[in-house]
Amino acid sequence: MLGFQPDDEQQLIRDTVAEFAREQIRPLAHDADETGLSPPSVVRQAWDLGLVQSTIPEAYGGVGAESSAVTGSLICEELAWGDLALALHILSPQLVTYPVIMLGTPEQKAQILSCYAGPHFTAGTAAVMEPRFDFDLNALTTTAEQHNGEFVLNGTKCFVPLAADATHLLVYARGDNGITAFLLPQDTPGLSIGEREKNMGLKAVATYELSLDNCRVPASSQLQGDIQPVLNRSRVALSAMAVGVARAAYEYAREYAKERRAFGTAIAQKQAIAFMLAEMATEIDAARLLVWEAAWKIDTGADATREACLAKNYAATMVLTVTDNAVQTLGGHGYIRDHPVELWLRNGRGFATFEGLAII
Amino acid sequence: MIDFSLSPAVKKNRDLIHAVADGTMRPISREYDEREHEKPTEWLNMMWEASKDMVSFGEGKQKKGADRKAEMVERHPSERTIRSAVLIEELSWGDVGLYLSIPHPALGGAAVAAAGTPEQKERFLSRFRDGEPKWGAMAITEPGCGSDSAALTTTAVQDGDQWVINGTKIFCTSGLMAAEKSEGFVVVWATLDKSAGRAGIKAFVVDHHTPGMTVAKVEDKMGIRASDTAMLVFEDCRIPLDNILGQAEVKQSTTGFKGVMATFDATRPLVAASAIGVARAAVDYVRETIEAAGITIRYTTPPTKLTTLERDFMEMEANLQAARLLTWRAAWMLDQGIQNNLEASMAKAKAGSMVTQVTQKAVELLGPLGYSRKTLLEKWMRDAKISDIYEGTQQINLLIIARRILGYSSQELN
């Protein structure tokens, strides 16, 4: 039966995360971007919220909460509203835990999940993207070839968050039957992690290029089963974050427009600005509903590939338009780093490119 | 709950209406686009017979108890608007011009239902339960004012036990059928006191064939040609005193006018639903055509590697669904009794621009096939544009959204 309101439990989680984003993340976002450092204190506090541990089954030290994609999209939007880079940092262990929960064998679960159920943040990550203009998840250039009961991985990955600190890296590659993924410990021979990357946005979260040179991994490290549901959850998570970034920019621009005066009135009283804000508000809501629908479809157990792709494309376009309009609303001031809108535009630009940086 | 599934009852209704749209509307769609100002009498009679028992404009429980469909609506009041939105999408998928021409109380009926007394509801709405097909209509727009309805100049003056109405109304949907071709009625907006501004504006029910009311012109239009759009002239048109909707006294407050505007919160999601039906017709047609040509849409491929056709098509699909979800949200809020002024305007603004863009893009994508009158695509593009104009233009809806999100009055943002 149709409904557009989170249930009581979801609303409680949403309010809690929203408060955390407002009180703990947002005040640190500017300095984190300038210095390129995620404040350890905020990562620790976020860990204490239990967002990652809660979805790990009790048998492996977690809480065993149901991992609803709808609830996940509410969390992602609020965290990204606070700051996208810090949100990605905080949720990065899920890049390992979710795929293992969804597809892992009992042995893989026992080996991996308990590492991420402890009292302290433990970095885990996934290597999905590749440094090519025509990067395509369906046509990865990183290969996995089977040899005498083990796999040999070759290729180059980029945009791997926290790779240098990660206990496990989930490496995506092209196998005999399409896309597949392997769980690699940090010290796997043949895996080398390069210099920290310098990007237009997401400066606070450390990302790395890494190379796989005849990297031999046992067959037992391969995730079994269809990986498409993992990719769908990733696309929905990123789309929800795009909504959060866009909402942050829209709200800031709206309040600025009510304060800033020109020609005797607030600029928000001019239709040129007011209509822009009205369209921003409408498009943010439209994108959120597409995200929710894709997440809801995932939760029903149906194939949500199409919905997740449409939502991601829509949200990626929307966030760019909205953050750009937010900078435009502030005029010259929007271009100055004292205001956060230029940061949101830099972060927003990435969504059309990002794959696999977050999973819910 | 966040849930995007329709109830089994609504789905069942939708499937039924889809069969009607596909089986009876599509086959005559082109004919009544070409034969503007003619009516598909047989089809209208059929729709009248099928739908008259379902009329449920708040006039209370059906006395006769004969109609199960109406009872179903009564039993599920929380689904009324969403159900209407879903059914209107199907009918508009069939043909939006024909949908608009269905004998129905329509906007005039909505005004009576919203502001009328029990006696007025019985007097004007009960006629839609039996007899010959009838139409209701609403006359607000004038040659000198459209969106700025507070500026209307049609007057109503009391003379003994009658109101005397003078003025000219245009763009009145089904005005011809309501005023002269059936035993329907027209709800006319007029001012009792021009100096009182909005507070002086009242709605009056003018019954069919009332002397002094004439259809001066039926417009030739770009699209929705199966639906008549009339100019009504009122010259010393006399109606009973108790045909006024609401209070006759002119108060300082503008609650009466705001009441009128509030009816738009209920009707805008339905106009948006109609736009979505037209857009879906175009999207379905494009999908069938390209699939028949052996082209598969590669949803998981990055946009930078897609063909322009695929990319445009996926954008059309996403835009259509975005508008549909905004519309369903606005309809759902109304059913839940939640104030939806902002969301209704968001739905209408998005659906109006979406259907305009989607149908224009569809014509472009199918090249010569799209531009030809041999297919219905060019018709849908012409039909689409009105959705961005009537029931509040794109710009008026943006203005309403902006006022709501900024917390501005109409004086602060105009």
Side-chain angles (χ1 to χ4, degrees), chain A:
Chain A
M1 185 87 167
L2 204 60
F4 292 87
Q5 269 169 344
D7 63 31
D8 290 346
E9 193 188 332
Q10 287 170 331
Q11 191 58 45
L12 184 68
I13 293 171
R14 187 194 211 181
D15 290 343
T16 306
V17 177
E19 190 191 343
F20 182 79
R22 189 174 59 246
E23 304 295 332
Q24 311 298 334
I25 298 180
R26 180 65 72 79
L28 303 175
H30 178 263
D31 285 354
D33 182 69
E34 293 289 327
T35 60
L37 296 171
S38 282
S41 63
V42 80
V43 174
R44 191 171 61 242
Q45 286 171 306
W47 187 257
D48 291 341
L49 286 178
L51 299 173
V52 174
Q53 311 93 300
S54 66
T55 55
I56 292 175
E58 282 182 77
Y60 308 108
V63 179
E66 198 186 345
S67 60
S68 154
V70 170
T71 309
S73 66
L74 298 174
I75 294 169
C76 284
E77 177 180 336
E78 297 306 328
L79 287 178
W81 178 91
D83 183 69
L84 180 64
L86 297 181
L88 292 174
H89 190 131
I90 288 164
L91 295 179
S92 62
Q94 293 185 339
L95 296 172
V96 175
T97 60
Y98 260 122
V100 171
I101 293 168
M102 290 169 76
L103 300 174
T105 61
E107 292 76 26
Q108 287 169 336
K109 285 180 182 172
Q111 189 194 340
I112 306 277
L113 293 180
S114 55
C115 302
Y116 301 93
H120 303 295
F121 177 88
T122 305
T125 192
V128 179
M129 295 166 66
E130 295 172 347
R132 303 169 54 90
F133 80 92
D134 59 349
F135 164 70
D136 180 355
L137 254 172
N138 297 315
L140 293 175
T141 56
T142 299
T143 54
E145 286 176 32
Q146 210 159 359
H147 262 297
N148 305 328
E150 57 182 14
F151 284 90
V152 182
L153 307 182
N154 276 294
T156 308
K157 292 288 181 181
C158 69
F159 247 88
V160 186
L162 308 181
D165 302 318
T167 307
H168 301 96
L169 299 94
L170 185 63
V171 176
Y172 289 71
R174 182 160 48 86
D176 292 339
N177 303 309
I179 182 167
T180 183
F182 299 87
L183 290 154
L184 272 63
Q186 173 76 242
D187 56 1
T188 306
L191 165 69
S192 53
I193 292 162
E195 291 278 292
R196 180 174 169 173
E197 291 169 336
K198 292 175 177 170
N199 297 308
M200 176 166 77
L202 299 186
K203 288 182 180 173
V205 61
T207 68
Y208 299 85
E209 195 167 290
L210 60 82
S211 63
L212 299 145
D213 185 15
N214 286 320
C215 183
R216 292 174 179 275
V217 297
S220 62
S221 67
Q222 187 185 24
L223 277 187
Q224 302 295 323
D226 183 8
I227 209 151
Q228 190 62 48
V230 172
L231 303 177
N232 293 345
R233 289 186 86 112
S234 173
R235 288 181 175 134
V236 171
L238 285 170
S239 309
M241 288 182 172
V243 173
V245 172
R247 200 185 94 213
Y250 153 72
E251 288 175 358
Y252 195 91
R254 183 190 62 196
E255 297 312 308
Y256 180 90
K258 289 173 77 172
E259 294 293 322
R260 174 73 180 184
R261 295 181 73 80
F263 307 102
T265 66
I267 60 170
Q269 288 175 271
K270 312 286 184 195
Q271 286 192 354
I273 300 295
F275 281 17
M276 197 157 70
L277 291 166
E279 285 181 341
M280 289 157 75
T282 305
E283 288 301 314
I284 289 167
D285 279 11
R288 182 186 299 111
L289 292 174
L290 289 174
V291 171
W292 283 4
E293 190 191 30
W296 166 80
K297 197 159 183 198
I298 286 172
D299 286 345
T300 65
D303 177 25
T305 304
R306 174 176 164 274
E307 286 76 10
C309 287
L310 291 181
K312 180 166 184 287
N313 292 345
Y314 196 93
T317 307
M318 178 281 294
V319 67
L320 190 58
T321 309
V322 168
T323 53
D324 186 67
N325 283 341
V327 171
Q328 194 68 26
T329 302
L330 271 70
H333 294 280
Y335 203 72
I336 306 295
R337 296 215 301 275
D338 292 347
H339 290 282
V341 284
E342 65 82 32
L343 165 61
W344 290 321
L345 173 56
R346 284 188 282 116
N347 284 344
R349 172 70 277 182
F351 282 101
T353 305
F354 298 154
E355 284 279 11
L357 284 185
I359 299 180
I360 51 168

Side-chain angles (χ1 to χ4, degrees), chain B residues 1-310:
Chain B
M1 274 289 282
I2 291 171
D3 191 332
F4 293 88
S5 58
L6 297 171
S7 74
V10 171
K11 277 188 193 161
K12 202 172 160 187
N13 272 250
R14 179 189 62 190
D15 295 346
L16 184 78
I17 298 297
H18 182 77
V20 171
D22 195 34
T24 75
M25 298 173 86
R26 285 289 178 90
I28 61 170
S29 186
R30 173 59 73 186
E31 186 182 351
Y32 288 93
D33 176 60
E34 305 266 336
R35 292 163 61 191
E36 190 172 17
H37 308 308
E38 291 183 40
K39 293 287 179 184
T41 312
E42 202 180 312
W43 183 81
L44 293 175
N45 287 338
M46 184 195 80
M47 293 306 287
W48 169 253
E49 290 303 322
S51 69
K52 65 182 180 184
D53 291 332
M54 292 174 73
V55 172
S56 175
F57 272 88
E59 75 269 44
K61 295 242 178 198
Q62 307 271 333
K63 295 271 184 334
K64 289 168 189 169
D67 181 62
R68 289 171 50 235
K69 291 173 198 159
E71 277 177 18
M72 193 181 67
V73 174
E74 289 299 329
R75 270 193 276 123
H76 297 283
S78 66
E79 284 201 312
R80 184 179 303 206
T81 315
I82 193 69
R83 178 176 169 280
S84 295
V86 168
L87 301 191
I88 287 169
E89 178 182 331
E90 294 306 321
L91 291 168
S92 301
W93 178 90
D95 184 302
V96 65
L98 290 171
Y99 150 64
L100 289 167
S101 73
I102 294 172
H104 194 269
L107 290 177
V112 173
T117 62
E119 184 276 325
Q120 287 172 325
K121 289 179 191 175
E122 177 62 25
R123 187 150 50 100
F124 296 114
L125 297 179
S126 64
R127 65 183 69 175
F128 287 88
R129 289 186 200 141
D130 40 43
E132 295 297 305
K134 296 172 190 72
W135 285 260
M138 173 98 98
I140 303 182
T141 301
E142 299 182 357
C145 75
S147 298
D148 182 13
S149 43
L152 59 84
T153 60
T154 296
T155 55
V157 176
Q158 187 176 350
D159 181 23
D161 57 357
Q162 291 179 316
W163 296 108
V164 184
I165 297 178
N166 277 287
T168 300
K169 294 289 181 181
I170 59 168
F171 301 164
C172 177
T173 299
S174 297
L176 173 68
M177 304 311 282
E180 292 187 353
K181 302 285 185 183
S182 77
E183 294 176 356
F185 62 83
V186 182
V187 171
V188 181
W189 294 93
T191 177
L192 288 177
D193 179 0
K194 196 82 185 80
S195 66
R198 288 175 172 183
I201 295 171
K202 303 287 173 183
F204 302 85
V205 186
V206 181
D207 229 325
H208 63 95
H209 296 102
T210 300
M213 172 172 68
T214 42
V215 175
K217 186 186 177 195
V218 180
E219 305 286 353
D220 301 330
K221 301 189 299 297
M222 177 184 180
I224 55 165
R225 292 180 181 169
S227 166
D228 67 89
T229 305
M231 174 193 270
L232 297 174
V233 175
F234 298 87
E235 284 176 304
D236 291 332
C237 179
R238 290 174 172 273
I239 58 169
L241 271 192
D242 58 4
N243 278 23
I244 189 170
L245 296 175
Q247 300 295 320
E249 57 181 319
V250 176
K251 290 181 192 161
Q252 284 306 303
S253 79
T254 58
T255 50
F257 186 82
K258 282 178 178 163
V260 182
M261 291 297 123
T263 63
F264 286 123
D265 297 344
T267 55
R268 279 185 178 135
L270 302 182
V271 175
S274 173
I276 287 156
V278 177
R280 197 183 101 213
V283 169
D284 284 354
Y285 189 77
V286 171
R287 183 191 290 109
E288 285 161 22
T289 307
I290 61 181
E291 279 179 359
I295 297 167
T296 313
I297 306 295
R298 297 169 293 170
Y299 287 102
T300 59
T301 299
T304 47
K305 289 179 80 178
L306 294 171
T307 63
T308 308
L309 179 67
E310 287 174 293

